[in-house]
Amino acid sequence: MSDKGTEPWWKSSTIYQIYPLSFLDTTGDGFGDLNGINSKLDYLKDLGVDVVWLSPIYKSPLADMGYDIADYRAIDSRYGTFEDWENLLKGVHQRQMKLMMDLVVNHTSEEHDWFVQSRRSQDDPKRDWYIWRPARYDSNGKRHPPNNWRSVFQGSAWTYDEATDEYYLHIFLEEQPDLNWDNPAVRDAIWDVMRFWLDRGCDGFRIDVIDILSKADGLPDAPVVEKDEEFQPASKFYANGPRVHDYVKKMRENVLSHYDLITVGEITFTHAMEEIVRYVLPKNNEVNMVFQFELMHIDQTEHDDDSYWKYQSWTLATLRDIVSRWQVFKREEGFWNALFIENHDHARSVSRFGNDSTDESRTISAKLIAIMQITLKGTLYIFQGQELGMKNFPRSWGPEEYKDVAVQNYWNRVLAQRMRPQNTKAEEVNMHDIFDDLQKKARDHARTPMQWDSSPHGGFTTGDTTWMRVNDDYKSWNASRQLNDEESVLVFWKRALVVRKQYPLLIFGEFELVLPDHEQCWRI
């Protein structure tokens, strides 16, 4: 076992992810803000948090809830001002905690000044800061995108710009054009953005979709696997591209190595263990750890865009085997795990991995999940509300309650497919199976406002409306009530984190699986 005193601070840290829109609103406009976070720092410190991680707070039109950044150096006015951020940072550091920011640099917003300049003309100096290609034409002279890649959010991964007569690439929304990392000027600009925040006291970064910074040479067509669709799943051509590790190493060399930081990369489209660990092994000089999603895909049928939303049942043995593999894989070479079971892109763990049908089963499930997490080797991540055992919102909520553009696009695509054969009207299409899957897996479940108390809107806002509806159970299931209940999920989490810090064995010890073949028991 390693000696905690000789290990980097981030290994034994507990990181708490905040989704700012939904944390706490202090202005009454229905959107969470930085001052709301600042007002709850004592709550986080008392919970046992070491690092506060903020999902994007930069200036953004919110086409993808802040992951479409219009200015990397500005705070979006919904959240407050730069002074508010500085006050938050000061409050975090005064409590001996650290602040981690979200870094989204595979793409920007279409409203970012870089892209505004890039699309002015084919001769603009920033044209090559993004990925532009001419159209393809068929034998009838009909214009088509440069290749058949499908966007993660449905439709073509290319959007035509009439003014300059070319297409630009966007792996996600058309409002999120991909940066051209092959251009050294782009990389230098990103290094400057990172230094901007680090020099002001930021303690690290979560780096969004780090595995797709480099695309396949030539941007070839993807194989046709859905014969009735024009655009095809193409992650094999934009994940783990030929220069991705070179770019991450350069990031480490030029910026990260000059600061005492925590760095975690999101590995969304890479599934092979041997490929994933390359980003983390110390000898490769890339990032401290990565979010890999094998466990989060346990109820997913395939690794493609549509199956992300489709639910399949799973067994305890499957969950045990996934966790066990990652606990021992490449340990001797220094691989380090990021331990998480919730985040802003996945539904609530007590609903996915437990039983939330009654208050008793919900409480037991949430505590068992906490026990699993605090006893595994790696750096621990908690998502806001997880410490309360917040659950998915009800199946009875209608489609208008789903705010996530990815869900909306998926719903519309399936609806159109089902209307097509008999020219059926939308209101006549049976979408019950889609509702069933979304109730289990939609990202929106993680994004409902925090339930602070039993007052209107769960104490999230003093205003009349919220950007997203608060879960219906807030009057009986909230932080204020749990703070005064010794048997609550919140009090259990507080005790569990104390135990984890008291016993470094839980963080650095060797993992040994007992009863590896038992179908109903998991023992380590």
mmCIF file of all heavy atoms in Angstrom, residues 20-21 23-40 78-80 84 459-463:
data_model
loop_
_atom_site.group_PDB
_atom_site.id
_atom_site.type_symbol
_atom_site.label_atom_id
_atom_site.label_comp_id
_atom_site.label_asym_id
_atom_site.label_seq_id
_atom_site.Cartn_x
_atom_site.Cartn_y
_atom_site.Cartn_z
ATOM 1 N N PRO A 20 -24.067 24.386 -12.017
ATOM 2 C CA PRO A 20 -24.444 25.699 -11.479
ATOM 3 C C PRO A 20 -25.876 26.129 -11.750
ATOM 4 O O PRO A 20 -26.507 26.761 -10.892
ATOM 5 C CB PRO A 20 -23.441 26.645 -12.144
ATOM 6 C CG PRO A 20 -22.232 25.789 -12.380
ATOM 7 C CD PRO A 20 -22.794 24.451 -12.768
ATOM 8 N N LEU A 21 -26.412 25.812 -12.917
ATOM 9 C CA LEU A 21 -27.781 26.210 -13.238
ATOM 10 C C LEU A 21 -28.781 25.711 -12.202
ATOM 11 O O LEU A 21 -29.816 26.339 -11.970
ATOM 12 C CB LEU A 21 -28.181 25.668 -14.612
ATOM 13 C CG LEU A 21 -27.840 26.487 -15.860
ATOM 14 C CD1 LEU A 21 -28.290 25.740 -17.094
ATOM 15 C CD2 LEU A 21 -28.476 27.864 -15.811
ATOM 16 N N PHE A 23 -28.009 24.592 -8.849
ATOM 17 C CA PHE A 23 -27.529 24.464 -7.469
ATOM 18 C C PHE A 23 -28.299 25.381 -6.518
ATOM 19 O O PHE A 23 -28.990 24.907 -5.624
ATOM 20 C CB PHE A 23 -26.029 24.744 -7.405
ATOM 21 C CG PHE A 23 -25.404 24.322 -6.096
ATOM 22 C CD1 PHE A 23 -25.319 22.979 -5.765
ATOM 23 C CD2 PHE A 23 -24.914 25.260 -5.217
ATOM 24 C CE1 PHE A 23 -24.746 22.571 -4.566
ATOM 25 C CE2 PHE A 23 -24.336 24.877 -4.008
ATOM 26 C CZ PHE A 23 -24.253 23.531 -3.682
ATOM 27 N N LEU A 24 -28.214 26.686 -6.682
ATOM 28 C CA LEU A 24 -28.946 27.617 -5.825
ATOM 29 C C LEU A 24 -29.006 28.981 -6.499
ATOM 30 O O LEU A 24 -27.981 29.522 -6.914
ATOM 31 C CB LEU A 24 -28.281 27.741 -4.455
ATOM 32 C CG LEU A 24 -28.986 28.664 -3.440
ATOM 33 C CD1 LEU A 24 -30.394 28.150 -3.143
ATOM 34 C CD2 LEU A 24 -28.177 28.782 -2.160
ATOM 35 N N ASP A 25 -30.220 29.523 -6.576
ATOM 36 C CA ASP A 25 -30.462 30.824 -7.199
ATOM 37 C C ASP A 25 -30.642 31.876 -6.109
ATOM 38 O O ASP A 25 -31.518 31.746 -5.248
ATOM 39 C CB ASP A 25 -31.727 30.724 -8.064
ATOM 40 C CG ASP A 25 -32.253 32.069 -8.521
ATOM 41 O OD1 ASP A 25 -31.442 33.009 -8.645
ATOM 42 O OD2 ASP A 25 -33.478 32.167 -8.745
ATOM 43 N N THR A 26 -29.823 32.934 -6.146
ATOM 44 C CA THR A 26 -29.929 33.994 -5.144
ATOM 45 C C THR A 26 -30.564 35.275 -5.688
ATOM 46 O O THR A 26 -30.754 36.230 -4.941
ATOM 47 C CB THR A 26 -28.540 34.352 -4.572
ATOM 48 O OG1 THR A 26 -27.693 34.819 -5.640
ATOM 49 C CG2 THR A 26 -27.912 33.154 -3.891
ATOM 50 N N THR A 27 -30.891 35.299 -6.978
ATOM 51 C CA THR A 27 -31.458 36.518 -7.575
ATOM 52 C C THR A 27 -32.950 36.403 -7.864
ATOM 53 O O THR A 27 -33.597 37.398 -8.191
ATOM 54 C CB THR A 27 -30.734 36.872 -8.880
ATOM 55 O OG1 THR A 27 -30.965 35.832 -9.852
ATOM 56 C CG2 THR A 27 -29.237 37.024 -8.646
ATOM 57 N N GLY A 28 -33.492 35.196 -7.810
ATOM 58 C CA GLY A 28 -34.904 34.999 -8.084
ATOM 59 C C GLY A 28 -35.250 34.863 -9.543
ATOM 60 O O GLY A 28 -36.426 34.861 -9.906
ATOM 61 N N ASP A 29 -34.226 34.712 -10.421
ATOM 62 C CA ASP A 29 -34.507 34.599 -11.854
ATOM 63 C C ASP A 29 -34.708 33.154 -12.309
ATOM 64 O O ASP A 29 -34.965 32.901 -13.481
ATOM 65 C CB ASP A 29 -33.404 35.266 -12.678
ATOM 66 C CG ASP A 29 -32.046 34.565 -12.545
ATOM 67 O OD1 ASP A 29 -31.937 33.594 -11.760
ATOM 68 O OD2 ASP A 29 -31.087 34.999 -13.222
ATOM 69 N N GLY A 30 -34.562 32.200 -11.387
ATOM 70 C CA GLY A 30 -34.786 30.802 -11.724
ATOM 71 C C GLY A 30 -33.566 30.055 -12.196
ATOM 72 O O GLY A 30 -33.646 28.862 -12.502
ATOM 73 N N PHE A 31 -32.409 30.740 -12.249
ATOM 74 C CA PHE A 31 -31.154 30.111 -12.647
ATOM 75 C C PHE A 31 -30.183 30.127 -11.454
ATOM 76 O O PHE A 31 -30.007 31.166 -10.811
ATOM 77 C CB PHE A 31 -30.501 30.849 -13.814
ATOM 78 C CG PHE A 31 -31.287 30.813 -15.084
ATOM 79 C CD1 PHE A 31 -32.181 31.833 -15.400
ATOM 80 C CD2 PHE A 31 -31.155 29.760 -15.976
ATOM 81 C CE1 PHE A 31 -32.917 31.812 -16.571
ATOM 82 C CE2 PHE A 31 -31.879 29.728 -17.149
ATOM 83 C CZ PHE A 31 -32.773 30.747 -17.455
ATOM 84 N N GLY A 32 -29.536 29.011 -11.187
ATOM 85 C CA GLY A 32 -28.523 28.979 -10.151
ATOM 86 C C GLY A 32 -27.382 29.928 -10.472
ATOM 87 O O GLY A 32 -27.131 30.241 -11.638
ATOM 88 N N ASP A 33 -26.658 30.392 -9.456
ATOM 89 C CA ASP A 33 -25.604 31.370 -9.689
ATOM 90 C C ASP A 33 -24.421 31.169 -8.745
ATOM 91 O O ASP A 33 -24.466 30.346 -7.820
ATOM 92 C CB ASP A 33 -26.150 32.792 -9.563
ATOM 93 C CG ASP A 33 -26.951 33.010 -8.285
ATOM 94 O OD1 ASP A 33 -26.407 32.762 -7.197
ATOM 95 O OD2 ASP A 33 -28.125 33.429 -8.372
ATOM 96 N N LEU A 34 -23.345 31.907 -9.003
ATOM 97 C CA LEU A 34 -22.110 31.751 -8.234
ATOM 98 C C LEU A 34 -22.285 32.144 -6.779
ATOM 99 O O LEU A 34 -21.707 31.512 -5.881
ATOM 100 C CB LEU A 34 -20.998 32.578 -8.882
ATOM 101 C CG LEU A 34 -20.530 32.110 -10.259
ATOM 102 C CD1 LEU A 34 -19.519 33.088 -10.839
ATOM 103 C CD2 LEU A 34 -19.933 30.713 -10.189
ATOM 104 N N ASN A 35 -23.072 33.164 -6.518
ATOM 105 C CA ASN A 35 -23.293 33.561 -5.134
ATOM 106 C C ASN A 35 -24.060 32.484 -4.366
ATOM 107 O O ASN A 35 -23.880 32.326 -3.150
ATOM 108 C CB ASN A 35 -24.025 34.898 -5.068
ATOM 109 C CG ASN A 35 -23.131 36.058 -5.466
ATOM 110 O OD1 ASN A 35 -21.911 35.991 -5.329
ATOM 111 N ND2 ASN A 35 -23.727 37.127 -5.986
ATOM 112 N N GLY A 36 -24.905 31.758 -5.068
ATOM 113 C CA GLY A 36 -25.589 30.633 -4.440
ATOM 114 C C GLY A 36 -24.606 29.558 -4.011
ATOM 115 O O GLY A 36 -24.707 28.983 -2.920
ATOM 116 N N ILE A 37 -23.640 29.276 -4.881
ATOM 117 C CA ILE A 37 -22.605 28.299 -4.538
ATOM 118 C C ILE A 37 -21.793 28.793 -3.347
ATOM 119 O O ILE A 37 -21.510 28.041 -2.397
ATOM 120 C CB ILE A 37 -21.692 28.037 -5.748
ATOM 121 C CG1 ILE A 37 -22.511 27.456 -6.911
ATOM 122 C CG2 ILE A 37 -20.553 27.087 -5.380
ATOM 123 C CD1 ILE A 37 -21.758 27.417 -8.230
ATOM 124 N N ASN A 38 -21.421 30.063 -3.393
ATOM 125 C CA ASN A 38 -20.622 30.654 -2.316
ATOM 126 C C ASN A 38 -21.337 30.522 -0.971
ATOM 127 O O ASN A 38 -20.700 30.251 0.062
ATOM 128 C CB ASN A 38 -20.351 32.127 -2.628
ATOM 129 C CG ASN A 38 -19.115 32.657 -1.918
ATOM 130 O OD1 ASN A 38 -18.570 32.007 -1.037
ATOM 131 N ND2 ASN A 38 -18.673 33.831 -2.298
ATOM 132 N N SER A 39 -22.647 30.685 -0.979
ATOM 133 C CA SER A 39 -23.410 30.624 0.272
ATOM 134 C C SER A 39 -23.488 29.228 0.854
ATOM 135 O O SER A 39 -23.870 29.061 2.022
ATOM 136 C CB SER A 39 -24.829 31.171 0.043
ATOM 137 O OG SER A 39 -25.610 30.265 -0.730
ATOM 138 N N LYS A 40 -23.145 28.205 0.072
ATOM 139 C CA LYS A 40 -23.244 26.820 0.533
ATOM 140 C C LYS A 40 -21.858 26.180 0.738
ATOM 141 O O LYS A 40 -21.762 24.953 0.889
ATOM 142 C CB LYS A 40 -24.050 25.987 -0.462
ATOM 143 C CG LYS A 40 -25.526 26.363 -0.523
ATOM 144 C CD LYS A 40 -26.247 26.067 0.793
ATOM 145 C CE LYS A 40 -27.731 26.364 0.709
ATOM 146 N NZ LYS A 40 -28.441 26.057 1.979
ATOM 147 N N ARG A 78 -25.799 35.019 -16.376
ATOM 148 C CA ARG A 78 -26.771 34.252 -15.593
ATOM 149 C C ARG A 78 -26.192 33.845 -14.241
ATOM 150 O O ARG A 78 -26.906 33.734 -13.246
ATOM 151 C CB ARG A 78 -27.186 32.985 -16.349
ATOM 152 C CG ARG A 78 -27.924 33.200 -17.659
ATOM 153 C CD ARG A 78 -28.152 31.867 -18.348
ATOM 154 N NE ARG A 78 -28.791 32.007 -19.652
ATOM 155 C CZ ARG A 78 -28.141 32.212 -20.785
ATOM 156 N NH1 ARG A 78 -26.822 32.348 -20.757
ATOM 157 N NH2 ARG A 78 -28.774 32.308 -21.932
ATOM 158 N N TYR A 79 -24.879 33.585 -14.247
ATOM 159 C CA TYR A 79 -24.230 33.103 -13.027
ATOM 160 C C TYR A 79 -23.671 34.231 -12.167
ATOM 161 O O TYR A 79 -23.344 34.003 -10.997
ATOM 162 C CB TYR A 79 -23.096 32.141 -13.387
ATOM 163 C CG TYR A 79 -23.539 30.987 -14.244
ATOM 164 C CD1 TYR A 79 -22.972 30.763 -15.497
ATOM 165 C CD2 TYR A 79 -24.537 30.123 -13.815
ATOM 166 C CE1 TYR A 79 -23.379 29.695 -16.288
ATOM 167 C CE2 TYR A 79 -24.955 29.059 -14.597
ATOM 168 C CZ TYR A 79 -24.370 28.854 -15.837
ATOM 169 O OH TYR A 79 -24.790 27.809 -16.611
ATOM 170 N N GLY A 80 -23.510 35.405 -12.742
ATOM 171 C CA GLY A 80 -22.965 36.522 -11.986
ATOM 172 C C GLY A 80 -21.846 37.214 -12.730
ATOM 173 O O GLY A 80 -21.861 37.308 -13.961
ATOM 174 N N ASP A 84 -17.766 37.907 -8.701
ATOM 175 C CA ASP A 84 -18.432 36.828 -7.959
ATOM 176 C C ASP A 84 -17.585 35.561 -7.986
ATOM 177 O O ASP A 84 -17.499 34.838 -6.986
ATOM 178 C CB ASP A 84 -19.809 36.549 -8.558
ATOM 179 C CG ASP A 84 -20.773 37.707 -8.379
ATOM 180 O OD1 ASP A 84 -20.596 38.481 -7.424
ATOM 181 O OD2 ASP A 84 -21.698 37.833 -9.214
ATOM 182 N N GLY A 459 -36.582 25.450 -2.056
ATOM 183 C CA GLY A 459 -35.593 26.400 -1.562
ATOM 184 C C GLY A 459 -34.533 26.755 -2.576
ATOM 185 O O GLY A 459 -33.580 27.473 -2.260
ATOM 186 N N PHE A 460 -34.697 26.270 -3.822
ATOM 187 C CA PHE A 460 -33.710 26.565 -4.867
ATOM 188 C C PHE A 460 -33.748 28.034 -5.269
ATOM 189 O O PHE A 460 -32.720 28.635 -5.583
ATOM 190 C CB PHE A 460 -33.980 25.674 -6.089
ATOM 191 C CG PHE A 460 -33.272 26.112 -7.342
ATOM 192 C CD1 PHE A 460 -31.902 25.998 -7.465
ATOM 193 C CD2 PHE A 460 -33.993 26.665 -8.396
ATOM 194 C CE1 PHE A 460 -31.249 26.420 -8.621
ATOM 195 C CE2 PHE A 460 -33.355 27.089 -9.551
ATOM 196 C CZ PHE A 460 -31.983 26.966 -9.658
ATOM 197 N N THR A 461 -34.949 28.642 -5.258
ATOM 198 C CA THR A 461 -35.103 30.035 -5.669
ATOM 199 C C THR A 461 -36.212 30.687 -4.865
ATOM 200 O O THR A 461 -37.124 29.989 -4.366
ATOM 201 C CB THR A 461 -35.433 30.143 -7.172
ATOM 202 O OG1 THR A 461 -35.535 31.514 -7.553
ATOM 203 C CG2 THR A 461 -36.737 29.441 -7.506
ATOM 204 N N THR A 462 -36.141 31.980 -4.742
ATOM 205 C CA THR A 462 -37.239 32.745 -4.134
ATOM 206 C C THR A 462 -38.178 33.275 -5.205
ATOM 207 O O THR A 462 -39.186 33.908 -4.891
ATOM 208 C CB THR A 462 -36.683 33.922 -3.313
ATOM 209 O OG1 THR A 462 -35.872 34.744 -4.161
ATOM 210 C CG2 THR A 462 -35.842 33.420 -2.151
ATOM 211 N N GLY A 463 -37.835 33.041 -6.455
ATOM 212 C CA GLY A 463 -38.659 33.514 -7.567
ATOM 213 C C GLY A 463 -39.866 32.627 -7.808
ATOM 214 O O GLY A 463 -40.083 31.610 -7.130
#
